[in-house]
């Protein structure tokens, strides 16, 4: 069986380094807010090209805390509208509603599945105060155009980089385009911890200062609480693990890009629509997502041939029970995407034989 993602094999590559990092933390006797976190924040900020990185407990907290911090700074207030792609994972929307802000769901670009500048323009109202572009599946959004719109309308931009560590446009990486960005290091991400973890990047010193307090009970100094904060701290062991894996991220991206190039050039089944490669640097291929009207049949065909697949994501946010007030919204392109997309296996530990086998079996599929 070809697994969708073999995390055991991915982490085994760095087994000795990871164990050494874990031992280093254990032996230090310091497990929260210590040297490993400080060093990871420095290294990740340098990797992204930003002035600051703030480690937090997970990717959802990263997004939620940025919006919360902007409220504390008076840059947002309850009831403000935030433009979000309708086909994102629900976490992007949860971060908005958790802060008593209003998500404005817009249809994506039908080729990239990312935010369309034209759809953003059409969605702006007097209440619009922020844009939340999601770099879906590992492909960076059209950030030059998005930032131009934001500047024209005086809007904040929060990048959702949960799937796009290392993707870039013109050499500028995801996480360094907007006013802030949220990253997830969930184990299955391209840069994955060995548990939940996340980070925020920004070039705004004032924002970084507020975020550091908010993640730590709202405290600036011990037992002095400036804000009604939360406990969302990236712990020392996860920071140490991420330092190990960050050093190998770029080589893993190259491996993913190589597989994606084979898929796009060798899969020729007319029943399966493939993603478009515009520029190699745009996409780090967290997921390789195809589209087909015969999804259930293709899933069964590949499963019968020993190939695991996943659907990202079967139900869009506006059709979830959690957002029943949005259930009647009509977003036909988003709904079509969620009904037809299918993710094929892609990871840096896949063999050429596995890739060839997957290509062969997809091409053999008949409805």
């Amino acid at each position: 069986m070809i697994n969708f993602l073999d995390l055991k094999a991915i982490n085994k590559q760095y087994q000795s380094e990871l164990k050494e990092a874990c031992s280093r933390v254990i032996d230090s006797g310091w497990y929260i807010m210590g040297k490993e976190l400080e060093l990871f924040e420095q290294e990740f900020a340098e990797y992204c090209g930003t002035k600051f990185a703030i480690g937090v407990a997970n990717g959802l907290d990263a997004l939620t805390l940025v919006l919360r911090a902007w409220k504390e700074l008076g840059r947002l207030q309850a009831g403000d509208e935030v433009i979000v792609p309708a086909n994102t994972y629900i976490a992007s929307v949860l971060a908005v509603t958790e802060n008593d802000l209003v998500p404005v769901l817009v249809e994506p670009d039908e080729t990239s599945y990312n935010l369309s500048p034209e759809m953003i323009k059409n969605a702006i109202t007097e209440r619009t105060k922020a844009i939340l572009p999601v770099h879906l599946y590992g492909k960076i959004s059209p950030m030059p155009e998005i930032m131009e719109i934001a500047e024209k309308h005086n809007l904040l931009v929060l990048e959702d980089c949960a799937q796009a560590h290392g993707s870039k446009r013109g050499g500028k990486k995801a996480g360094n385009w907007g006013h802030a960005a949220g990253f997830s290091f969930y184990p299955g991400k391209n840069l994955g911890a060995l548990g939940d973890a996340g980070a925020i990047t920004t070039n705004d010193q004032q924002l970084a200062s507020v975020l550091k307090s908010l993640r730590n009970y709202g405290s600036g100094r011990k037992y002095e609480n400036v804000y009604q904060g939360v406990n969302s701290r990236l712990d020392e062991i996860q920071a140490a693990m991420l330092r190990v894996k960050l050093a190998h991220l770029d080589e893993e991206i190259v491996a993913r890009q190589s597989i994606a190039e084979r898929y796009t050039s060798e899969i020729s089944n007319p029943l399966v629509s493939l993603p478009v490669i515009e520029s190699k640097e745009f996409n780090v291929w967290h997921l390789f997502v195809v589209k087909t009207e015969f999804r259930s049949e293709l899933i069964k065909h590949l499963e019968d041939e020993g190939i695991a697949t996943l659907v990202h994501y079967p139900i869009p946010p506006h059709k979830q029970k959690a957002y029943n007030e949005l259930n009647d919204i009509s977003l036909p392109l988003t709904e079509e995407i969620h009904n037809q997309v299918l993710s094929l296996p892609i990871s840096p530990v896949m063999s050429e034989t596995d890739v060839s086998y997957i290509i062969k079996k997809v091409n053999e599929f008949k409805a």
Side-chain angles (χ1 to χ4, degrees):
M1 184 75 178
I2 299 176
N3 295 323
F4 180 77
L5 185 66
D6 190 342
L7 288 178
K8 187 175 179 179
I10 288 173
N11 290 321
K12 189 175 182 179
Q13 301 173 100
Y14 319 120
Q15 182 172 287
S16 61
E17 293 177 80
L18 291 169
K19 287 183 176 180
E20 190 280 327
C22 187
S23 294
R24 188 170 67 240
V25 175
I26 293 170
D27 293 344
S28 76
W30 195 299
Y31 309 123
I32 300 288
M33 303 283 282
K35 196 67 178 177
E36 295 294 338
L37 174 60
E38 180 184 340
L39 289 171
F40 174 70
E41 289 176 334
Q42 292 172 3
E43 291 160 7
F44 191 63
E46 182 179 351
Y47 179 82
C48 294
T50 58
K51 293 180 181 178
F52 307 100
I54 301 97
V56 294
N58 54 68
L60 174 56
D61 280 2
L63 297 175
T64 303
L65 287 173
V66 171
L67 296 171
R68 167 74 187 282
W70 280 336
K71 289 181 72 178
E72 294 288 355
L73 289 166
R75 301 177 193 177
L76 290 175
Q77 59 184 4
D80 285 344
E81 293 178 349
V82 181
I83 293 173
V84 187
N87 60 312
T88 186
Y89 181 56
I90 198 170
S92 310
V93 185
L94 289 170
V96 176
T97 56
E98 177 66 18
N99 281 287
D100 296 319
L101 302 167
V102 179
V104 176
L105 303 176
V106 301
E107 294 272 49
D109 176 85
E110 61 183 341
T111 301
S112 70
Y113 300 157
N114 279 334
L115 265 182
S116 156
E118 286 306 311
M119 293 302 293
I120 293 174
K121 292 175 186 176
N122 294 339
I124 292 173
T125 71
E126 291 182 356
R127 294 174 60 196
T128 306
K129 299 299 178 184
I131 306 170
L132 204 163
V134 181
H135 308 317
L136 203 60
Y137 310 147
K139 184 174 186 178
I140 192 169
S141 303
M143 293 309 298
E145 294 90 341
I146 290 173
M147 294 310 297
E148 185 178 342
I149 295 168
E151 186 175 347
K152 180 179 179 181
H153 295 275
N154 194 29
L155 304 177
L156 295 164
V157 176
L158 170 56
E159 297 175 70
D160 184 337
C161 302
Q163 301 183 3
H165 320 69
S167 61
K168 52 193 173 183
R169 282 183 179 261
K172 188 173 182 178
K173 286 181 179 167
N176 192 24
W177 282 94
H179 301 100
F183 286 85
S184 168
F185 305 123
Y186 181 79
K189 304 297 186 184
N190 290 22
L191 179 58
L194 275 71
D196 269 324
I200 298 157
T201 56
T202 184
N203 292 307
D204 183 336
Q205 185 172 9
Q206 186 181 30
L207 177 64
S209 178
V210 173
L211 287 164
K212 286 178 181 179
S213 291
L214 285 175
R215 73 172 175 186
N216 189 32
Y217 298 98
S219 175
R221 290 193 301 176
K222 195 169 186 179
Y223 302 130
E224 292 184 13
N225 302 80
V226 183
Y227 308 103
Q228 296 178 22
V230 298
N231 178 3
S232 182
R233 303 173 299 204
L234 175 57
D235 71 68
E236 285 289 281
I237 283 185
Q238 295 304 338
M241 300 295 174
L242 287 165
R243 291 185 65 209
V244 170
K245 298 186 75 175
L246 179 60
H248 300 283
L249 177 58
D250 284 345
E251 62 194 71
E252 291 201 357
I253 288 172
V254 170
R256 288 173 177 273
Q257 289 173 333
S258 177
I259 295 169
E261 286 174 3
R262 285 203 61 195
Y263 279 163
T264 53
S265 63
E266 298 178 41
I267 293 176
S268 57
N269 192 324
L271 300 177
V272 179
S273 297
L274 302 172
V276 175
I277 299 181
E278 297 172 61
S279 170
K280 190 171 183 177
E281 70 169 1
F282 288 2
N283 206 327
V284 294
W285 300 102
H286 170 60
L287 299 170
F288 189 91
V289 179
V290 301
K291 190 163 169 275
T292 176
E293 295 179 26
F294 307 98
R295 183 169 70 188
S296 58
E297 295 89 343
L298 178 56
I299 290 171
K300 185 178 187 309
H301 165 74
L302 293 176
E303 186 178 282
D304 289 346
E305 298 292 349
I307 300 167
T309 59
L310 286 176
V311 176
H312 297 88
Y313 302 97
I315 307 173
H318 74 285
K319 293 298 183 183
Q320 297 283 359
K321 186 176 180 180
Y323 287 108
N324 56 24
E325 70 274 17
L326 302 176
N327 288 174
D328 293 333
I329 295 176
S330 176
L331 294 161
L333 176 56
T334 291
E335 289 157 26
E336 178 183 295
I337 289 169
H338 284 259
N339 287 331
Q340 296 185 9
V341 292
L342 180 67
S343 300
L344 301 180
I346 186 167
S347 86
V349 295
M350 285 174 61
S351 69
E352 290 292 332
T353 301
D354 285 346
V355 175
S356 296
Y357 182 75
I358 292 167
I359 292 167
K360 180 175 184 288
K361 294 306 174 183
V362 172
N363 283 337
E364 287 177 357
F365 171 67
K366 296 176 183 178

